Amino acid sequence: MQNKLFALARPEIVAMSAYRSARSEAATGSIWLDANENPWNDGQYNRYPDPQPYSLVANLATVYGVKPDQILVTRGSDEGIDLLLRLFCRAGQDEIMICPPTYGMYKVAATIQGASVVEIPLLKEQNFSLNSANILEVWRPSIKLVFLCSPNNPTGNLLAVQDILSICKKLDKKSIIIVDEAYIEFSSSDSLVNYLNDYPNLVILRTLSKAYGLAGIRCGVTIANPGIIQLLKKIIAPYPIPKPIVSIASKQLSLNGIESQIKIIYQERDRLFFFLSNLPFVKKVWKSDANFLLFEVENSKMIMDACISNGIVLRDRSSEYNLNNCIRVTIGDPNENTFLMEVLSRV
Ligand SMILES: Cc1ncc(COP(=O)(O)O)c(C=O)c1O
């Protein structure tokens, strides 16, 4: 199984020896003269951090219900996306598949890597569900990665688990299926982590930037078969996780406080959904399993201008595939949402 996954990765990465940083080689000891650091410990930061701080990895493994060797901690899940592109796609030869409208970084990371992008649009008339038949019909061997975002940004809907798993099965040993679960904590669905053992080509992206309220520390997690994690470790920067991140993230993970905030987000999402649905200039609001709502208006620029003149920043998604005059609004705190409603009532 491992060999088949290795066959999908860039052969030069599989063959190369990873850079061995001093700390990745260090055994045990008490006098550290191996990494050209400053010996004085005034600020606690004179030493390089652990490349993958074990306490954080173990903590995240428990939170996500996987084994530590299935986890890679990255600088946001954006870094996970970039690493997967670099691991699997040879410039000018390999491709990725995405399902627009979706998160923009898949395409950006592909372009930077020199991989072209095959787009199989979500079915707008079917609540932006996957066009599985088309994905399988169009698939070709140069497509190394298939990115699926669930709940999808910016449409907010979950993708059907059966659709995702059937794509994993049909593309077994042919493509890596990356399911981006950045917003899964806000949804009514469980993570797909329980399927990792059944589908070795499944990779899951999680992040502390959304429900855990830690966008500022840049902490993302790639969860996959240990073979894939080992290969990703070969190409990640030597010391990606700064020391303060470990304590900040671990503290937040142990707080268990996100449930109460998520409850409020649910209530506020319903309140805003109902309000937007009844505005005369709103043509459609899509049900959301994330911490944002997408709505279509007659003239998005007019709404954006009205909001910004009151200090409210929304995201006009008109430039995205099939989303002309569609705006994405993040669910704020109750006061922010109330103020937004007041402003929109006056438009
Ligand atoms: C679907 C999706 N994936 C990944 C990311 C990146 O998140 P991170 O902050 O973990 O890099 C975002 C950020 O908005 C996102 O919407």
Side-chain angles (χ1 to χ4, degrees):
M1 175 239 285
Q2 200 112 309
N3 287 345
K4 289 287 181 189
L5 290 169
F6 282 14
L8 288 177
R10 284 169 54 202
E12 60 273 34
I13 304 287
V14 175
M16 95 179 186
S17 313
Y19 171 69
R20 298 182 69 95
S21 61
R23 264 329 96 83
S24 68
E25 290 201 317
T28 49
S30 54
I31 300 175
W32 297 98
L33 304 178
D34 59 340
N36 303 342
E37 298 149 330
N38 180 318
W40 289 283
N41 189 20
D42 291 348
Q44 301 169 41
Y45 298 126
N46 61 321
R47 300 290 176 196
Y48 283 106
D50 187 338
Q52 284 287 296
Y54 189 75
S55 64
L56 180 58
V57 170
N59 210 335
L60 287 164
T62 306
V63 169
Y64 294 138
V66 295
K67 298 205 183 85
D69 64 359
Q70 292 176 297
I71 277 198
L72 182 76
V73 188
T74 57
R75 289 163 287 190
S77 44
D78 279 338
E79 185 178 32
I81 294 167
D82 180 55
L83 292 172
L84 287 160
L85 252 303
R86 290 199 280 134
L87 173 58
F88 288 101
C89 293
R90 293 163 298 179
Q93 294 184 57
D94 294 326
E95 305 180 281
I96 69 163
M97 189 179 257
I98 64 170
C99 302
T102 193
Y103 183 50
M105 277 308 289
Y106 313 139
K107 196 178 202 170
V108 170
T111 306
I112 293 169
Q113 181 61 17
S116 50
V117 179
V118 177
E119 303 193 358
I120 306 295
L122 295 171
L123 300 166
K124 187 174 184 184
E125 301 315 318
Q126 291 168 40
N127 195 30
F128 293 109
S129 60
L130 277 178
N131 190 342
S132 306
N134 205 216
I135 287 175
L136 297 170
E137 217 171 81
V138 169
W139 184 87
R140 48 190 179 237
S142 52
I143 295 175
K144 293 295 169 61
L145 305 177
V146 178
F147 281 93
L148 305 177
C149 188
S150 181
N152 186 46
N153 176 9
T155 55
N157 58 297
L158 282 163
L159 303 177
V161 172
Q162 314 88 278
D163 288 351
I164 298 176
L165 296 181
S166 117
I167 292 168
C168 287
K169 192 166 178 196
K170 300 252 168 62
L171 298 184
D172 184 31
K173 304 184 184 71
K174 294 178 172 168
S175 273
I176 301 293
I177 313 302
I178 299 155
V179 182
D180 186 342
E181 295 185 337
Y183 300 96
I184 195 77
E185 292 90 346
F186 301 108
S187 83
S188 50
S189 173
D190 290 332
S191 164
L192 294 188
V193 284
N194 291 335
Y195 296 100
L196 282 166
N197 292 337
D198 297 334
Y199 301 90
N201 58 339
L202 173 63
V203 172
I204 293 170
L205 297 173
R206 302 289 297 261
T207 180
L208 301 191
S209 296
K210 309 296 178 183
Y212 283 94
L214 292 176
I217 70 166
R218 312 305 300 127
C219 190
V221 186
T222 301
I223 308 176
N225 176 302
I228 295 179
I229 297 298
Q230 281 308 323
L231 288 175
L232 289 169
K233 280 184 180 168
K234 280 180 135 180
I235 60 172
I236 195 168
Y239 303 107
I241 309 300
K243 279 188 179 173
I245 304 314
V246 177
S247 50
I248 298 168
S250 301
K251 192 167 144 224
Q252 186 80 335
L253 287 169
S254 65
L255 273 180
N256 255 344
I258 64 164
E259 284 88 357
S260 58
Q261 287 184 349
I262 289 172
K263 246 191 195 152
I264 298 173
I265 297 285
Y266 283 162
Q267 286 162 5
E268 290 294 299
R269 189 171 72 190
D270 284 351
R271 188 163 77 98
L272 200 53
F273 180 91
F274 183 75
F275 172 82
L276 289 170
S277 306
N278 286 297
L279 284 175
F281 57 82
V282 171
K283 292 163 86 175
K284 180 163 175 80
V285 191
W286 280 273
K287 283 265 178 217
S288 171
D289 263 281
N291 65 336
F292 54 81
L293 287 168
L294 183 75
F295 61 104
E296 183 182 358
V297 293
E298 278 155 18
N299 181 342
S300 61
K301 187 173 176 326
M302 194 184 85
I303 304 303
M304 293 297 291
D305 290 348
C307 285
I308 201 67
S309 62
N310 285 278
I312 300 174
V313 188
L314 305 180
R315 201 91 202 270
D316 191 342
R317 298 284 73 192
S318 290
S319 61
E320 299 294 312
Y321 182 84
N322 243 339
L323 294 187
N324 194 29
N325 282 318
C326 290
I327 295 175
R328 191 190 69 197
V329 53
T330 306
I331 311 301
D333 74 26
N335 291 334
E336 291 171 331
N337 302 331
T338 300
F339 182 57
L340 169 69
M341 292 183 201
E342 277 166 30
V343 169
L344 290 177
S345 306
R346 293 198 294 266
V347 170

